[in-house]
Amino acid sequence: MTSLGGSSSSSTEYTVRVPKNNSKKYSIMAFNSGDKVNCSTWTQARMERDMSNRRMYGGEETEEGAAGSEFGKKQREEARRKKFGIVTREFKVEDQPWILKINGKAGKRFKGQKKGGVTENASYYIFTQCPDGAFEAFPVNGWYNFVPQAKHRTLTAEEAEEEWGRRNKVVNHFSIMLQRRLREQERGPDDEDEEGEKGGKKKKKKKGARGGDLRIHDLEDDLELSSDESDSSREEGDNKPKKKESVAKGKGKKKKKKRGSDSEANEDSDDGDYEGLEVDYMSDESSSEEEAGEEKAKSNKEDGPKGIDEASDTEDESEEEKQNEEEGKEEEEEEEGKKTPVQMEKKKKRDSSGESDTSEDSDIDGEAASALFMVKKRTPPKRGGGRGSGGSSRTGSRPGTPSIDSASTSNTLRAAASKLEQGKRQVLGGSSDSPAAKRLKMEPGSTATTTQSPAPSGKSTPQPPSGKSTPSSSDVQLTEEAVRRYLIRKPMTTKDLLKKFQTKRTGLSSEQTVNVLAQILKRLNPERKNVNDKMHFYLTE
Amino acid sequence: MSEKGEVDLTGAKQNTGVWLVKVPKYLSQQWAKASGRGEVGKLRIGKNQGKAEVSFTLNEDLTMIDSLGDKPSGVRAPRDHPFTMQTVGGQTLAVFTETQSEPSKDKIALEGVVVQRAECRPAASDNYMKLKRLQIEELSKPLRLSQQLEKAVTTNYKPVANHYNNLEYERKKKEEGKRARADKQQVLDMLFSAFEKHQYYNIKDLVDITKQPVSYLKEILRDIGIYNIKGTHKNTWELKPEYRHYQGEEEAKEADD
C-alpha cells in the first residue's frame, strides 16, 4: 500500500486482486428496504432451492411400466411435441428460486427469484477489503430478489372474487377470514393454531364472535341470506336464468337483426341469429334452437303483411315462449300451418317488444304458464293486437291464453292504424309489418317495409308499469292519460302504442283497443315525426 | 441433509461491508487474463476537497485486447477508470456464496452486506474510442451470411438410389426376409413377456418385437388379448383380463394356453 501525497487531496492506493481459483460462487441477495431486513439480527437461517417447478418440466408420469402404460409412449409424446413445435424449457436448478427461512419455523420466510439479465452486458464484482489492505474482487454469479412470504392466511382467487362482489354489503371485514377459518375448521382443527399477524385478534374475535355471533353477523346473515336467496331463486327459477339467457340472446340477436334491417332491406344475415329465439308453442320444440330456425323458415313462407297485430301477437307470444322454454310448452304440431304465420308474428312481436320486456322478466310463474299452455292445446294464443310491451309478465299476467284471431285483428288494427295515419298524413308504405319483421331477416320478401322502428321506441326502455312482472292485474288502462304519458316520454308509432295496451291488460278486445286508441290520438293530436320511415307520434309538454 | 441449507451467518454477524461494483465487459475480460496472484491493477481512493474520489488503474500488462478475427488489435484498453459512487438506497443487498466443496454438498454462507455501490467507468480516451469502435464492428456483423459460391456444391449430390438408403434397405430385407411363423408357444411367450413390461401395445410394436407376420400375430392376439379403442388415438392391444397379472389389478390369473 503506497500513499501518495497530493496537494489538497490525499489518496491511498490499494491493490486490486481478482482471485483465480474460486470454488465459491457469489450471488447477491436483494431485499426491499421497506421490509427492514437486518442481517445481523438473524440468529439462524436456512436456505434451499425451491423445487416446486420441477414437475412442470419433468412432466407428470402417469404410470411407468406394467399396468397402464403403453409401449413407446414417451417417444411418441416426444415426437408429437416436436411436431407441434412445443418446446419445453429445461429445468435448471441454478435458475430456481430460493426459499430462505429466518430463525426457524416461526420466523420470517423469503422467496428469492432470480433476476435475469444481470450478467449480460456488464459484470458485477464484489470488492472486499482483505486484512492486508488489498481489495479482492469476485464476480457476481446471480442476483436474487428476496420478497417476504405472507404467513397469514389469504383468500384464494375464487374467494377473493366472491368477496369483491360483496364488498358493498360487507361491513365487518374481519369476519371474512373468520368465516373462512370456520370452514377450514370443519376439515381440520389444526388450522386454527396457525395464524398470521392478526392471529391473536382473530382468535379472540372468533371466540367472542361466537358468542356474539348473532350480533356481529347480522350483516353476515343477511349477506348469506341474500346469497342464499339468490341461490334458491336461481334454483327455483329454472326458467329464469335460462329465460334470461334466452332473452339476452334474443335481445342480442334482435339488436343484430335490427341493425341489419335498418341498414338494408332484409339482409339475410346469420342464421344463427334466430337460433335462440323461441318459436312458439306450436312448434314442438321447446328449447331446440334449430327447430326454431326451421319454423321461422316455414313462417317465412307466409305472406308477410299479416299486419301489426299478428306481428305483435307473435312477438308477445314468442317472448313468453322463450321464457317458458324450460317448461316445455307443448306445441300443437297439427296446427302448424296456422301457426306458422302466428309464429312469424310471434317472433316479430318478440323481437320488437322483447328487449325491454323480457329483460325485466322476473317472476313469471313459468310453471303455471306452461300448464296453461299445455292445457290449451290449440292455436297458439295470440296477443291481442300486440298490445303493450308487457311481455315480461306475460305468462303470469296473461290470464289464460289470449285467443285472438290474428287475421281479423290484424286487419282491424292495421286498418285503424292506417286510418289514423291517413287522417293526418300520407299513408306510409302499406303494410305495417311487425317491427320484428324487419328484424327477421328470414322473411325478406314476406314482410314488407317495417314501419315501426324497433327498439328505440319504447321497447328498449323497460316500461316499469307494464314491463315488470307482476301478474294478472291489468295495470294499464287505455286512457288518454296513459297515452299522453307515453307520447310525452318518447315518440312512438301506432304499433308501439298498441303494444302498450295489450288486450289482456286492458280487458278490451283488439278492435275496441284500436278504436279507443284512435279516438285518443285524435283528441291528443300529437306531433308527427318520421323516424326510419315510420311515423312516430310524440307530445311535448 | 441437515447441513444442507444451513446458512453460515458469520459474515452477517460481523457486518462485513463490501462494495458492489459494476464493471464493463471488456474490463472483466481483461481481468480474467490476469496471471499469478490475480493482481489486476490499483485502486486509488482519495479525498479531494471533501469528496471521495476512487479510481482504478489497470495494470499495464493487461491492456492488450485480443480481438476475434484475424488481425491483432492495435487497440489497447484504457487504463484509467474512475469509479462513480452510488448509495445503496432502496434495497438492502447482502452477499452470499455457495461453495461446492464436495458434490451435492452446498455450503451457503453469508459474506456480508453491500455498503457502497459503484460503477467503473473508463476514462474517455482515444484508446477507449478505438476499443468501442472495434466492439461495434464486431457486433454489427450479421450472424448469418449469404455467400455466393462459384461452383455448385456437388459433394452431397445424391445418386438415383440413395446409397445409404439402398444399403440399409437391402440389409434389412436380407436379415428379416419374410417373417416366418414361429411356434405358437414361442410367440405366446414373447407376447407375455412383452406385456409384462407394458400394458398397452400397438400392433406395429408387437410385430417389431415378435417378428411375426401381422396376420398370424393378430390371430394369436385375438386369443389372448383384446383390442381396445382406448379413447386415445391409437388403438392398442392388451391382454385379456384373465391373463393379466398386474400390480394394481384384482384379477390375477396366469394364462395357460
Side-chain angles (χ1 to χ4, degrees), chain A residues 459-482:
Chain A
K459 283 153 218 159
S460 40
T461 51
Q463 315 279 339
S466 51
K468 298 303 180 182
S469 43
T470 52
S472 53
S473 60
S474 52
D475 303 324
V476 181
Q477 296 289 338
L478 181 47
T479 62
E480 181 175 340
E481 242 350 278

PDB file of all heavy atoms in Angstrom, chain A residues 459-482:
ATOM      1  N   LYS A 459     -89.415  -0.010 -26.697  1.00  0.00           N
ATOM      2  CA  LYS A 459     -89.029  -1.345 -26.309  1.00  0.00           C
ATOM      3  C   LYS A 459     -87.783  -1.403 -25.476  1.00  0.00           C
ATOM      4  O   LYS A 459     -87.714  -2.135 -24.518  1.00  0.00           O
ATOM      5  CB  LYS A 459     -88.813  -2.194 -27.545  1.00  0.00           C
ATOM      6  CG  LYS A 459     -90.152  -2.545 -28.045  1.00  0.00           C
ATOM      7  CD  LYS A 459     -90.274  -2.804 -29.420  1.00  0.00           C
ATOM      8  CE  LYS A 459     -91.559  -2.253 -29.952  1.00  0.00           C
ATOM      9  NZ  LYS A 459     -91.378  -2.103 -31.341  1.00  0.00           N
ATOM     10  N   SER A 460     -86.830  -0.683 -25.870  1.00  0.00           N
ATOM     11  CA  SER A 460     -85.599  -0.823 -25.109  1.00  0.00           C
ATOM     12  C   SER A 460     -85.794  -0.342 -23.700  1.00  0.00           C
ATOM     13  O   SER A 460     -85.309  -0.915 -22.757  1.00  0.00           O
ATOM     14  CB  SER A 460     -84.477  -0.045 -25.775  1.00  0.00           C
ATOM     15  OG  SER A 460     -85.009   1.161 -26.238  1.00  0.00           O
ATOM     16  N   THR A 461     -86.501   0.702 -23.606  1.00  0.00           N
ATOM     17  CA  THR A 461     -86.695   1.175 -22.237  1.00  0.00           C
ATOM     18  C   THR A 461     -87.702   0.282 -21.551  1.00  0.00           C
ATOM     19  O   THR A 461     -88.816   0.150 -21.984  1.00  0.00           O
ATOM     20  CB  THR A 461     -87.231   2.604 -22.230  1.00  0.00           C
ATOM     21  OG1 THR A 461     -88.371   2.629 -23.091  1.00  0.00           O
ATOM     22  CG2 THR A 461     -86.179   3.541 -22.747  1.00  0.00           C
ATOM     23  N   PRO A 462     -87.287  -0.295 -20.564  1.00  0.00           N
ATOM     24  CA  PRO A 462     -88.245  -1.133 -19.840  1.00  0.00           C
ATOM     25  C   PRO A 462     -89.344  -0.262 -19.290  1.00  0.00           C
ATOM     26  O   PRO A 462     -89.097   0.724 -18.622  1.00  0.00           O
ATOM     27  CB  PRO A 462     -87.436  -1.752 -18.716  1.00  0.00           C
ATOM     28  CG  PRO A 462     -86.224  -0.898 -18.614  1.00  0.00           C
ATOM     29  CD  PRO A 462     -85.992  -0.258 -19.936  1.00  0.00           C
ATOM     30  N   GLN A 463     -90.498  -0.639 -19.611  1.00  0.00           N
ATOM     31  CA  GLN A 463     -91.618   0.150 -19.127  1.00  0.00           C
ATOM     32  C   GLN A 463     -91.990  -0.391 -17.772  1.00  0.00           C
ATOM     33  O   GLN A 463     -92.496  -1.495 -17.670  1.00  0.00           O
ATOM     34  CB  GLN A 463     -92.793  -0.002 -20.074  1.00  0.00           C
ATOM     35  CG  GLN A 463     -92.378   0.123 -21.525  1.00  0.00           C
ATOM     36  CD  GLN A 463     -92.240   1.565 -21.902  1.00  0.00           C
ATOM     37  OE1 GLN A 463     -92.793   2.410 -21.241  1.00  0.00           O
ATOM     38  NE2 GLN A 463     -91.488   1.822 -22.959  1.00  0.00           N
ATOM     39  N   PRO A 464     -91.749   0.310 -16.827  1.00  0.00           N
ATOM     40  CA  PRO A 464     -91.960  -0.226 -15.477  1.00  0.00           C
ATOM     41  C   PRO A 464     -93.369  -0.720 -15.251  1.00  0.00           C
ATOM     42  O   PRO A 464     -93.556  -1.825 -14.803  1.00  0.00           O
ATOM     43  CB  PRO A 464     -91.621   0.937 -14.564  1.00  0.00           C
ATOM     44  CG  PRO A 464     -90.861   1.899 -15.416  1.00  0.00           C
ATOM     45  CD  PRO A 464     -91.206   1.620 -16.839  1.00  0.00           C
ATOM     46  N   PRO A 465     -94.297   0.049 -15.561  1.00  0.00           N
ATOM     47  CA  PRO A 465     -95.620  -0.476 -15.211  1.00  0.00           C
ATOM     48  C   PRO A 465     -95.931  -1.748 -15.969  1.00  0.00           C
ATOM     49  O   PRO A 465     -96.312  -2.735 -15.394  1.00  0.00           O
ATOM     50  CB  PRO A 465     -96.565   0.660 -15.610  1.00  0.00           C
ATOM     51  CG  PRO A 465     -95.788   1.527 -16.526  1.00  0.00           C
ATOM     52  CD  PRO A 465     -94.385   1.390 -16.117  1.00  0.00           C
ATOM     53  N   SER A 466     -95.733  -1.682 -17.223  1.00  0.00           N
ATOM     54  CA  SER A 466     -96.118  -2.872 -17.962  1.00  0.00           C
ATOM     55  C   SER A 466     -95.032  -3.922 -17.923  1.00  0.00           C
ATOM     56  O   SER A 466     -95.296  -5.090 -17.808  1.00  0.00           O
ATOM     57  CB  SER A 466     -96.409  -2.495 -19.408  1.00  0.00           C
ATOM     58  OG  SER A 466     -95.311  -1.745 -19.890  1.00  0.00           O
ATOM     59  N   GLY A 467     -93.833  -3.480 -17.981  1.00  0.00           N
ATOM     60  CA  GLY A 467     -92.750  -4.450 -18.121  1.00  0.00           C
ATOM     61  C   GLY A 467     -92.582  -5.336 -16.916  1.00  0.00           C
ATOM     62  O   GLY A 467     -92.400  -6.524 -17.020  1.00  0.00           O
ATOM     63  N   LYS A 468     -92.620  -4.794 -15.789  1.00  0.00           N
ATOM     64  CA  LYS A 468     -92.311  -5.610 -14.605  1.00  0.00           C
ATOM     65  C   LYS A 468     -93.359  -6.674 -14.401  1.00  0.00           C
ATOM     66  O   LYS A 468     -94.534  -6.454 -14.527  1.00  0.00           O
ATOM     67  CB  LYS A 468     -92.245  -4.723 -13.367  1.00  0.00           C
ATOM     68  CG  LYS A 468     -91.186  -3.702 -13.459  1.00  0.00           C
ATOM     69  CD  LYS A 468     -89.864  -4.343 -13.675  1.00  0.00           C
ATOM     70  CE  LYS A 468     -88.833  -3.215 -13.751  1.00  0.00           C
ATOM     71  NZ  LYS A 468     -87.536  -3.703 -13.999  1.00  0.00           N
ATOM     72  N   SER A 469     -92.819  -7.743 -14.067  1.00  0.00           N
ATOM     73  CA  SER A 469     -93.609  -8.961 -13.886  1.00  0.00           C
ATOM     74  C   SER A 469     -95.046  -8.777 -13.470  1.00  0.00           C
ATOM     75  O   SER A 469     -95.951  -9.038 -14.204  1.00  0.00           O
ATOM     76  CB  SER A 469     -92.926  -9.791 -12.846  1.00  0.00           C
ATOM     77  OG  SER A 469     -92.533  -8.927 -11.821  1.00  0.00           O
ATOM     78  N   THR A 470     -95.223  -8.340 -12.342  1.00  0.00           N
ATOM     79  CA  THR A 470     -96.486  -8.517 -11.594  1.00  0.00           C
ATOM     80  C   THR A 470     -97.660  -8.950 -12.431  1.00  0.00           C
ATOM     81  O   THR A 470     -98.100  -8.288 -13.344  1.00  0.00           O
ATOM     82  CB  THR A 470     -96.882  -7.218 -10.897  1.00  0.00           C
ATOM     83  OG1 THR A 470     -96.857  -6.194 -11.896  1.00  0.00           O
ATOM     84  CG2 THR A 470     -95.877  -6.896  -9.806  1.00  0.00           C
ATOM     85  N   PRO A 471     -98.099 -10.022 -12.133  1.00  0.00           N
ATOM     86  CA  PRO A 471     -99.102 -10.714 -12.950  1.00  0.00           C
ATOM     87  C   PRO A 471    -100.495 -10.117 -12.845  1.00  0.00           C
ATOM     88  O   PRO A 471    -100.764  -9.199 -12.111  1.00  0.00           O
ATOM     89  CB  PRO A 471     -99.093 -12.122 -12.372  1.00  0.00           C
ATOM     90  CG  PRO A 471     -98.658 -11.956 -10.973  1.00  0.00           C
ATOM     91  CD  PRO A 471     -97.761 -10.777 -10.935  1.00  0.00           C
ATOM     92  N   SER A 472    -101.277 -10.740 -13.515  1.00  0.00           N
ATOM     93  CA  SER A 472    -102.737 -10.611 -13.567  1.00  0.00           C
ATOM     94  C   SER A 472    -103.269  -9.203 -13.667  1.00  0.00           C
ATOM     95  O   SER A 472    -103.715  -8.779 -14.712  1.00  0.00           O
ATOM     96  CB  SER A 472    -103.393 -11.351 -12.427  1.00  0.00           C
ATOM     97  OG  SER A 472    -102.843 -10.963 -11.204  1.00  0.00           O
ATOM     98  N   SER A 473    -103.218  -8.463 -12.674  1.00  0.00           N
ATOM     99  CA  SER A 473    -103.985  -7.215 -12.695  1.00  0.00           C
ATOM    100  C   SER A 473    -103.552  -6.355 -13.850  1.00  0.00           C
ATOM    101  O   SER A 473    -102.379  -6.141 -14.086  1.00  0.00           O
ATOM    102  CB  SER A 473    -103.789  -6.464 -11.392  1.00  0.00           C
ATOM    103  OG  SER A 473    -102.418  -6.173 -11.252  1.00  0.00           O
ATOM    104  N   SER A 474    -104.498  -5.874 -14.566  1.00  0.00           N
ATOM    105  CA  SER A 474    -104.167  -5.023 -15.692  1.00  0.00           C
ATOM    106  C   SER A 474    -103.832  -3.660 -15.158  1.00  0.00           C
ATOM    107  O   SER A 474    -104.692  -2.917 -14.687  1.00  0.00           O
ATOM    108  CB  SER A 474    -105.356  -4.970 -16.653  1.00  0.00           C
ATOM    109  OG  SER A 474    -106.523  -4.619 -15.944  1.00  0.00           O
ATOM    110  N   ASP A 475    -102.607  -3.375 -15.193  1.00  0.00           N
ATOM    111  CA  ASP A 475    -102.200  -2.099 -14.644  1.00  0.00           C
ATOM    112  C   ASP A 475    -102.404  -0.985 -15.631  1.00  0.00           C
ATOM    113  O   ASP A 475    -102.383   0.174 -15.292  1.00  0.00           O
ATOM    114  CB  ASP A 475    -100.714  -2.156 -14.281  1.00  0.00           C
ATOM    115  CG  ASP A 475    -100.458  -3.281 -13.321  1.00  0.00           C
ATOM    116  OD1 ASP A 475    -101.325  -3.519 -12.484  1.00  0.00           O
ATOM    117  OD2 ASP A 475     -99.414  -3.930 -13.439  1.00  0.00           O
ATOM    118  N   VAL A 476    -102.518  -1.378 -16.816  1.00  0.00           N
ATOM    119  CA  VAL A 476    -102.547  -0.341 -17.844  1.00  0.00           C
ATOM    120  C   VAL A 476    -103.961  -0.199 -18.378  1.00  0.00           C
ATOM    121  O   VAL A 476    -104.532  -1.133 -18.930  1.00  0.00           O
ATOM    122  CB  VAL A 476    -101.607  -0.733 -18.989  1.00  0.00           C
ATOM    123  CG1 VAL A 476    -101.610   0.324 -20.038  1.00  0.00           C
ATOM    124  CG2 VAL A 476    -100.208  -0.928 -18.419  1.00  0.00           C
ATOM    125  N   GLN A 477    -104.472   0.908 -18.202  1.00  0.00           N
ATOM    126  CA  GLN A 477    -105.772   1.190 -18.775  1.00  0.00           C
ATOM    127  C   GLN A 477    -105.579   2.053 -19.988  1.00  0.00           C
ATOM    128  O   GLN A 477    -104.697   2.915 -20.019  1.00  0.00           O
ATOM    129  CB  GLN A 477    -106.646   1.940 -17.758  1.00  0.00           C
ATOM    130  CG  GLN A 477    -106.949   1.121 -16.529  1.00  0.00           C
ATOM    131  CD  GLN A 477    -107.914   0.006 -16.853  1.00  0.00           C
ATOM    132  OE1 GLN A 477    -108.654   0.091 -17.847  1.00  0.00           O
ATOM    133  NE2 GLN A 477    -107.889  -1.027 -16.046  1.00  0.00           N
ATOM    134  N   LEU A 478    -106.371   1.823 -20.918  1.00  0.00           N
ATOM    135  CA  LEU A 478    -106.220   2.583 -22.140  1.00  0.00           C
ATOM    136  C   LEU A 478    -106.910   3.914 -21.941  1.00  0.00           C
ATOM    137  O   LEU A 478    -108.090   4.096 -22.261  1.00  0.00           O
ATOM    138  CB  LEU A 478    -106.849   1.781 -23.295  1.00  0.00           C
ATOM    139  CG  LEU A 478    -106.739   2.441 -24.654  1.00  0.00           C
ATOM    140  CD1 LEU A 478    -105.338   2.942 -24.893  1.00  0.00           C
ATOM    141  CD2 LEU A 478    -107.138   1.448 -25.706  1.00  0.00           C
ATOM    142  N   THR A 479    -106.202   4.803 -21.379  1.00  0.00           N
ATOM    143  CA  THR A 479    -106.775   6.120 -21.159  1.00  0.00           C
ATOM    144  C   THR A 479    -105.962   7.152 -21.890  1.00  0.00           C
ATOM    145  O   THR A 479    -104.821   6.920 -22.293  1.00  0.00           O
ATOM    146  CB  THR A 479    -106.761   6.492 -19.661  1.00  0.00           C
ATOM    147  OG1 THR A 479    -105.364   6.522 -19.254  1.00  0.00           O
ATOM    148  CG2 THR A 479    -107.502   5.465 -18.841  1.00  0.00           C
ATOM    149  N   GLU A 480    -106.558   8.231 -21.997  1.00  0.00           N
ATOM    150  CA  GLU A 480    -105.856   9.319 -22.662  1.00  0.00           C
ATOM    151  C   GLU A 480    -104.614   9.682 -21.867  1.00  0.00           C
ATOM    152  O   GLU A 480    -103.557   9.980 -22.428  1.00  0.00           O
ATOM    153  CB  GLU A 480    -106.794  10.513 -22.769  1.00  0.00           C
ATOM    154  CG  GLU A 480    -106.117  11.680 -23.469  1.00  0.00           C
ATOM    155  CD  GLU A 480    -107.087  12.828 -23.680  1.00  0.00           C
ATOM    156  OE1 GLU A 480    -108.310  12.564 -23.644  1.00  0.00           O
ATOM    157  OE2 GLU A 480    -106.629  13.942 -23.875  1.00  0.00           O
ATOM    158  N   GLU A 481    -104.761   9.649 -20.564  1.00  0.00           N
ATOM    159  CA  GLU A 481    -103.622   9.974 -19.710  1.00  0.00           C
ATOM    160  C   GLU A 481    -102.444   9.071 -19.997  1.00  0.00           C
ATOM    161  O   GLU A 481    -101.296   9.498 -20.139  1.00  0.00           O
ATOM    162  CB  GLU A 481    -104.038   9.779 -18.235  1.00  0.00           C
ATOM    163  CG  GLU A 481    -103.984  11.012 -17.375  1.00  0.00           C
ATOM    164  CD  GLU A 481    -103.314  12.205 -17.979  1.00  0.00           C
ATOM    165  OE1 GLU A 481    -102.055  12.280 -17.947  1.00  0.00           O
ATOM    166  OE2 GLU A 481    -104.026  13.060 -18.500  1.00  0.00           O
ATOM    167  N   ALA A 482    -102.769   7.812 -20.124  1.00  0.00           N
ATOM    168  CA  ALA A 482    -101.680   6.859 -20.351  1.00  0.00           C
ATOM    169  C   ALA A 482    -100.995   7.132 -21.685  1.00  0.00           C
ATOM    170  O   ALA A 482     -99.764   7.170 -21.781  1.00  0.00           O
ATOM    171  CB  ALA A 482    -102.234   5.437 -20.301  1.00  0.00           C
TER     172      ALA A 482
END
